[in-house]
Amino acid sequence: MDIWTYQSVEYVSVAGEAWLASASEYPSSMRALWEARPWAPAVLPCGRVFDVISLPAVFGRRVLDELWTSGPGCGPVATYRGRTLLFVQPGAAARLRTLLAWEEWARDVPPLLCHGQGDAITVPPVQRAVDEPESASGRWIVAPDTGEPWLPGASVVLWACVRAARGRVREGGDQVVDGR
């Protein structure tokens, strides 16, 4: 399944909204904000419920394709200001940053922004008006739809990044380079 060919999820489920709000120090206030202004992006802290890896848009697509093609898939994913935001396990951002700096084979991976404990990110709106064009407020590619979405760890994201950066070998030995 190519998640890029389907229309993006326009609404975050109630359970997904509760999960996102639980990252806030004041979850009930966050839910009240979304009830009053569901089309407004929100700023949420990282480190408690999730970390976020921010990838350049094209590379982010390649990483997501790897996660879905090679397994195991991914949890919530959004776009914001031309970047792909991959939600990962708490603590994964610091671990990934360390692995990328330490491992020689990760040198082909473009610089990633790893948001963890002490950082905050802007998440897209939980709803988007049907007639509203996509804007700088971003959109959900894979919206949170449960109260406990599966989040990949640092090693899963690392291998997906390395495979995406170097291309991957198809069955039969054909090399995939730059998606061709």
Side-chain angles (χ1 to χ4, degrees), residues 8-168:
S8 67
V9 176
E10 300 297 339
Y11 299 98
V12 173
S13 72
V14 172
E17 187 179 308
W19 175 75
L20 281 170
S22 72
S24 171
E25 195 169 332
Y26 305 101
S28 57
S29 295
M30 187 59 59
R31 301 283 307 267
L33 171 69
W34 283 328
E35 188 174 316
R37 298 185 55 201
W39 60 87
V43 176
L44 293 174
C46 297
R48 184 182 330 176
V49 175
F50 55 77
D51 283 359
V52 172
I53 308 303
S54 176
L55 308 108
V58 173
F59 184 69
R61 177 190 170 122
R62 290 180 187 152
V63 168
L64 289 179
D65 286 345
E66 280 297 329
L67 286 169
W68 284 101
T69 302
S70 302
C74 67
V77 179
T79 63
Y80 186 74
R81 293 193 177 181
R83 296 192 61 91
T84 301
L85 305 177
L86 177 63
F87 287 70
V88 298
Q89 295 173 358
R95 176 96 172 112
L96 182 62
R97 192 179 305 119
T98 301
L99 289 171
L100 287 169
W102 177 65
E103 298 294 346
E104 182 178 313
W105 35 260
R107 69 180 179 274
D108 298 328
V109 175
L112 307 178
L113 302 176
C114 300
H115 302 285
Q117 188 69 41
D119 295 328
I121 54 125
T122 302
V123 298
V126 294
Q127 292 183 16
R128 191 180 83 184
V130 175
D131 59 346
E132 179 185 310
E134 285 191 33
S135 66
S137 66
R139 70 179 177 106
W140 290 100
I141 295 168
V142 179
D145 60 355
T146 68
E148 293 183 28
W150 180 81
L151 300 173
S155 61
V156 170
V157 176
L158 175 68
W159 283 109
C161 287
V162 169
R163 286 191 304 265
R166 293 190 173 178
R168 66 188 191 304

